[in-house]
Amino acid sequence: MQTQFNPKKLSSARTARGFTIKELAERIGISKQAISQFELGQAIPKAETMMLIVNTLDFPKGYFFETEEEQYVGNTYFRASASITKRVREMQKERAGWVSKVYNILNQYVEFPIPNLPDLSYFTDGEWDTDRIEELAITTRNHWKLGDKPINNLVNVLESNGVIVASVELGSIKVDAFCQPRSGRSFIILGEDKKSASRRHFDAAHELGHLLMHLDVHNQDSLTKEEFKLMEQQANQFASAFLLPEDAFSSMVSSETTLDGYTELKKYWRVSIGAMIHRAKDLGIISLSRYTSLQKQISMRKMRHKEPLDDVLPVPYPTLFKKAFEVILQSGIDGFELVQKQVRLNPKDVETLCELNPGTLSLRKEDSVIKLRHLGQHQAN
């Protein structure tokens, strides 16, 4: 850790918490010009101001005095959403940085699965029409030895093949999944608000599609609306083809399949009713008029936002970080010290990020109220 204040870390922490310069200044009780000067490196906060910053942004003091090695960060693949502001996207990017930071520290202590994405040399032309996307989905399933059976836990499959998966919570703000390639690792960040196994599966498959098909896109902000829309359609097509293999799915669906029938299929495929109906249309199993009729029935039954079985099928959660911390803690390493001195993030944020129980990292060993007696010690009256 360096001993000098790092202005970039102040900007990073402020952005991660969703504050503008003006909002942070008002909370601390100083001018916004002072915050700007701190972030530009034109001034250094005095000790009392530094403590106000630490307490307001809820980061360990050491966070603001560290430097990090530069690493490659590819495009962040965000969805198009009118409800997601630029500020929220910047919050997401910063918190994706937390995921990378935690991974880099944990990787010093434990061995993560080796990255095992399929060889894409056959698809070097970068043309992703429907047939090529179907072929890519089959190639990926074969590479991971999934056959044509349902994927009950895609999060586990991704983690087992070296993809770092985490979920980020932004309080009451609802966020979509997104992904980033970073220095030899692929990262998929899931939204904590998706309490549906089928929706989480589709989100994860969609992001996998981006990681496989769109690595040549270095900045999606430079794309035209038409190019961005096409990229999203391709990721959706991949997710559908990957989760619902054509031959196996087609053998179980017909033009007569009802909504109740799709509900039964949801138990098997772990894919939403809406996605299965869309897939049936794309494969020519149902006509456009039948598709429209089913969509109307979905609206009448108020199934747009919550489908049958959404509260029954278990939601898959990332486990790699949790297991890594469990191994580290079992070895005798103090989790609180590790987070304070190396990770240098708020322990509660790390607990949320790593799916750990509250208090796992935010309490020192000596903070425990209940302690073991020494053998042979007499009990006090």
Side-chain angles (χ1 to χ4, degrees):
M1 184 178 81
Q2 69 174 36
T3 57
Q4 292 184 337
F5 173 74
N6 185 345
K8 292 182 179 179
K9 303 303 285 187
L10 173 56
S11 176
S12 173
R14 174 181 60 76
T15 302
R17 295 298 184 209
F19 292 146
T20 63
I21 289 177
K22 180 181 178 182
E23 289 168 344
L24 178 59
E26 290 175 347
R27 284 176 178 255
I28 293 176
I30 62 177
S31 69
K32 64 180 183 180
Q33 288 78 12
I35 297 293
S36 293
Q37 289 176 338
F38 297 154
E39 292 192 1
L40 292 171
Q42 297 173 351
I44 298 175
K46 294 180 180 179
E48 59 269 27
T49 304
M50 190 70 245
M51 289 312 300
L52 288 171
I53 291 172
V54 166
N55 293 332
T56 301
L57 294 178
D58 210 7
F59 277 76
K61 183 178 178 181
Y63 177 85
F64 299 96
F65 292 83
E66 69 176 0
T67 56
E68 294 179 0
E69 293 183 6
E70 293 292 327
Q71 60 173 304
Y72 168 77
V73 180
N75 179 62
T76 304
Y77 298 90
F78 286 118
R79 311 279 183 87
S81 175
S83 62
I84 301 299
T85 64
K86 181 179 179 181
R87 187 194 301 197
V88 171
R89 287 191 173 184
E90 292 304 314
M91 288 176 68
Q92 289 177 289
K93 281 187 181 180
E94 289 297 335
R95 297 194 182 205
W98 295 0
V99 177
S100 177
K101 183 182 180 73
V102 170
Y103 162 73
N104 288 331
I105 298 299
L106 295 181
N107 193 43
Q108 298 174 23
Y109 293 87
V110 301
E111 293 183 2
F112 284 90
I114 297 171
N116 184 35
L117 293 180
D119 180 7
L120 301 178
S121 58
Y122 176 71
F123 301 95
T124 52
D125 59 10
E127 295 296 325
W128 297 111
D129 58 21
T130 299
D131 290 341
R132 296 285 273 179
I133 292 172
E134 293 282 342
E135 194 171 0
L136 177 62
I138 294 172
T139 297
T140 306
R141 273 185 165 264
N142 290 341
H143 183 70
W144 288 343
K145 297 178 172 59
L146 299 173
D148 61 0
K149 298 294 189 292
I151 302 173
N152 291 326
N153 188 333
L154 180 54
V155 173
N156 178 259
V157 170
L158 290 167
E159 290 187 317
S160 298
N161 287 284
V163 178
I164 303 300
V165 185
S167 52
V168 169
E169 184 175 335
L170 296 182
S172 60
I173 302 173
K174 293 185 177 182
V175 297
D176 284 318
F178 63 98
C179 62
Q180 279 184 340
R182 280 179 174 256
S183 297
R185 283 281 177 178
S186 296
F187 290 77
I188 292 179
I189 315 298
L190 303 171
E192 272 287 12
D193 58 297
K194 294 292 180 71
K195 303 302 183 183
S196 160
S198 59
R199 294 182 190 279
R200 175 157 280 196
H201 270 158
F202 199 90
D203 279 355
H206 177 103
E207 301 309 322
L208 175 61
H210 281 312
L211 292 171
L212 295 175
M213 294 186 291
H214 301 135
L215 287 181
D216 59 326
V217 177
H218 300 294
N219 182 4
Q220 72 178 48
D221 292 337
S222 66
L223 300 177
T224 64
K225 289 184 178 180
E226 291 74 19
E227 289 172 333
F228 178 76
K229 183 178 180 181
L230 177 60
M231 189 175 73
E232 284 293 284
Q233 288 174 346
Q234 291 168 343
N236 281 334
Q237 288 173 6
F238 172 83
S240 182
F242 181 68
L243 294 172
L244 300 167
E246 180 176 355
D247 292 342
F249 178 66
S250 297
S251 69
M252 303 179 71
V253 183
S254 75
S255 60
E256 304 301 321
T257 303
T258 63
L259 278 188
D260 291 336
Y262 281 107
T263 300
E264 290 300 311
L265 287 173
K266 182 175 179 177
K267 294 179 185 177
Y268 181 76
W269 287 107
R270 297 294 201 271
V271 177
S272 72
I273 294 167
M276 285 190 289
I277 291 173
H278 203 284
R279 177 69 166 156
K281 176 182 70 68
D282 289 345
L283 292 174
I285 299 171
I286 61 175
S287 65
L288 180 58
S289 60
R290 176 61 176 164
Y291 172 80
T292 303
S293 173
L294 289 168
Q295 292 296 327
K296 289 180 179 179
Q297 292 177 49
I298 286 175
S299 297
M300 289 176 62
R301 295 195 192 184
K302 298 181 179 179
M303 291 165 50
R304 291 287 174 202
H305 300 292
K306 185 175 182 180
E307 293 184 350
L309 303 179
D310 275 353
D311 53 358
V312 174
L313 298 176
V315 178
Y317 287 93
T319 62
L320 272 187
F321 281 177
K322 181 177 182 180
K323 290 177 180 177
F325 264 114
E326 288 172 349
V327 169
I328 290 170
L329 296 176
Q330 288 170 6
S331 74
I333 295 174
D334 189 321
F336 181 86
E337 290 292 318
L338 176 63
V339 170
Q340 289 292 321
K341 294 182 178 180
Q342 293 191 56
V343 180
R344 288 191 285 273
L345 292 172
N346 185 308
K348 294 180 181 178
D349 288 325
V350 179
E351 288 167 353
T352 300
L353 196 66
C354 300
E355 309 288 345
L356 294 167
N357 293 329
T360 301
L361 303 174
S362 54
L363 294 175
R364 295 178 183 269
K365 286 183 177 180
E366 58 266 29
D367 287 341
S368 177
V369 176
I370 303 297
K371 299 181 179 180
L372 289 173
R373 294 180 183 276
H374 294 294
L375 293 177
Q377 180 180 357
H378 295 294
Q379 292 184 348
N381 291 331

